[in-house]
Amino acid sequence: MARQDIAGLLTGISSTQQPVQPIPGTPGFRGQFGAARAQGLGAGVGRMMRGGAPSTQERIQGAMFELSSPTTDGTAKDTATRIADLTKLARVQQVQGNTAAAAQTAAQVQQLREQALKVQQSKAALASREDVAAQVRSAGYGKIADAIVSEAGSGNKVALEGGIKLLTNLAQPPKKTILTPEEEFGLASRKSLFDADVKTVTGAAEKAGNRFTQYAPIVAQMKELTDQVEFGAGSVPLATVNQTLHSLGSKLGLDVGTLDPEADATLTYNSLSKRLKALLLEAQKGAISNLENTEITKNTANPSQTSNQAQALVNFLEAGLESDLNRSAAQRAWLEQTKSLTGFDAAWRQYVEDFPRTSGFTVDEDPLTKDKTVVSNFEMVKENFNLFNQLYLPSKGKAPVFVNKQGKGMTVDKIKKEIVQDRLNEMKKVSNNPNWKPTKQQKSLAELEARKNIGKLITLRISNGTYTVAK
């Protein structure tokens, strides 16, 4: 490749005007060296003649510095200018034989190009999302358009994909097929059922969102109050707590009567929390399994709650609100895939029984002192949430079967039993007793282990390839 003219590239001055450097050991070196010395003296004289103006070499160095600088006269360069300048600099460095510097500059250019591409893609995506929203809105679907706009930047594409699908369907030319009266009736019936299902899903999602918005902050405040209220015999009136509880009850729309600063705070708390539980259980039917509803009712049935019971109740209500949202999202996904809500309720019941929403209530008792410690108190098991679409939707509600690397099928119940047995084996090993037998309490602790870890374990084994979900 012909050697490029660096001075010409950067300064507009031809390389023929630059001094030739003498090379030791070559013919004529002494003459060249003498000429170079003379030229150096001439350069000094030339600088004096130029009134101190920079030489060509100095101008080259200055130009290279300007190319590498991210600013010009104190003002930041735009990305396009930076890319152009650094590309030019990399070419100069390559011509100079400084390949390491050229490679670093080329890497900077590539990084800037990637950043510019991401900015362009982000702008294009936003413009595309806004365009889709505008088209959907003009088609008469204002709420869907609002959802498309509101989910921008969240990483969620549910509303956007739904809007695109809607526009695609609207763009389809009408079919000219002539239907029989029976076919027309069947088509109208299916459309009517689908429209009713869409209305059900939309209403459920709206109600779940509204309940979460209204009740979640109140449940959070009640959770904080469990540490302040003195539960059990001898509890004292707490005017501040009473005032807070009275305010919460009013927000819930409950008839709490006139505020009595002398009333026992625990009585107010017990009344409010149980009424809230009844209100939410009725509103969230199906979000949590019947087994867990029975468990919480049994453990909070006393007229006077202990601190543990109060904590259990708010933990359960918190899980219920989250599960309600989870259910509405799963219901929407079911309708989108199957075009009908038929079978969804049964599939959801199976799911929440297989993957409980809470840890339930378990007490561990010291065999020597008989002291009891609460080890689970209806805390939310987050790892058991958001598995419906992956495990139950593809099979349209059938219980999932997991196939291991040996080709053996495993059900959820089998995996739970495996977790329980592993826990019991650990207890036996620790006991150093070959004839060890688990007590009822120890079995409960092992079952708690399975209840809390079933979702986490299955998710891990699917992600690392230990399990595949049978179709």
Side-chain angles (χ1 to χ4, degrees), residues 251-327:
K251 288 178 183 178
L252 288 170
L254 300 175
D255 182 11
V256 292
T258 305
L259 175 63
D260 180 4
E262 298 301 317
D264 189 327
T266 53
L267 296 178
T268 308
Y269 184 98
N270 290 341
S271 172
L272 177 61
S273 61
K274 289 185 177 181
R275 290 164 75 183
L276 176 59
K277 181 192 78 170
L279 186 152
L280 286 181
L281 290 183
E282 178 63 28
Q284 298 172 179
K285 278 185 177 178
I288 287 185
S289 69
N290 291 334
L291 172 63
E292 289 185 275
N293 281 326
T294 301
E295 287 176 335
I296 190 64
T297 300
K298 177 182 176 182
N299 280 278
T300 57
N302 295 336
S304 298
Q305 296 184 109
T306 64
S307 178
N308 283 332
Q309 289 173 321
Q311 188 66 55
L313 192 54
V314 291
N315 285 345
F316 186 84
L317 294 177
E318 183 180 41
L321 287 168
E322 192 72 35
S323 188
D324 198 21
L325 286 177
N326 194 192
R327 183 180 188 274

Side-chain angles (χ1 to χ4, degrees), residues 440-459:
K440 182 179 178 181
Q441 187 62 41
Q442 288 167 329
K443 286 182 179 179
S444 294
L445 292 173
E447 288 165 0
L448 171 63
E449 191 85 8
R451 180 168 177 162
K452 291 169 67 175
N453 290 291
I454 183 65
K456 183 192 296 184
L457 180 64
I458 287 178
T459 300

